[in-house]
Amino acid sequence: HANDLVGRRGRLVQVGIRASNRTRSEWEAEAGVRQFWAEDVRVRGEDAVLADLVAHLRALGLTRAYVSNDIDGTDPEFAPATGAPEPGGLSPSFVHRIIREVSATLPLVGGDVVEVAPPLGTPEGAARTVEVAVGYLRETLSACSAAASPSTA
């Protein structure tokens, strides 16, 4: 539904996908969702994927962004207490870089973190997951705050 609300045409961008009930071509060609799979990050490298992400966002001509962070895109080594832990996910440091790069490209108007599920993990795993989620929220709020602050130039 979010894809329809933002008008499709690649305006919904997913980073860190590892499994899906649709093929990548179905998502991109039929649903109009731009995807950067976790495998892309491993094969091409973080810098290359970030450069492509930023280029894609700039090409859309958008004036602002919202970052919705599904924590099950993070590798379960770092965030195991989620509904769909899948090996081979993103590192928290890379997710922080994504938030910073997106906010450097477009002002962030908001963000969220979803799929944090402490009851599904061990106490240690739940604590790690919550800690990672809080870090993502802090990064997002900081970026939103910077976008809302008047320029001092």
Side-chain angles (χ1 to χ4, degrees):
H1 297 295
N3 192 30
D4 290 329
L5 289 172
V6 298
R8 295 186 177 238
R9 298 185 322 270
R11 297 177 84 167
L12 179 71
V13 180
Q14 298 176 322
V15 182
I17 303 298
R18 292 177 312 290
S20 176
N21 61 346
R22 293 183 181 187
T23 67
R24 185 180 196 155
S25 63
E26 286 176 300
W27 278 112
E28 292 196 349
E30 294 174 27
V33 174
R34 179 63 169 102
Q35 293 186 321
F36 297 91
W37 285 58
E39 180 69 17
D40 297 335
V41 177
R42 279 192 300 284
V43 170
R44 298 182 54 234
E46 292 179 1
D47 292 340
V49 170
L50 280 174
D52 286 352
L53 171 62
V54 167
H56 175 75
L57 293 174
R58 285 188 175 133
L60 290 171
L62 303 174
T63 58
R64 60 190 182 269
Y66 183 96
V67 174
S68 183
N69 188 331
D70 189 332
I71 202 159
D72 63 19
T74 301
D75 192 275
E77 173 186 349
F78 307 105
T82 181
E86 178 85 23
L90 305 176
S91 71
S93 63
F94 183 56
V95 175
H96 283 269
R97 285 185 68 197
I98 292 169
I99 296 165
R100 284 192 298 270
E101 289 291 327
V102 169
S103 68
T105 305
L106 294 165
L108 287 190
V109 295
D112 59 51
V113 177
V114 299
E115 298 289 337
V116 177
L120 297 181
T122 65
E124 298 80 18
R128 275 197 326 271
T129 303
V130 169
E131 185 177 321
V132 168
V134 168
Y136 293 163
L137 288 170
R138 281 188 179 132
E139 191 76 50
T140 302
L141 289 171
S142 176
C144 291
S145 176
S149 297
S151 174
T152 58

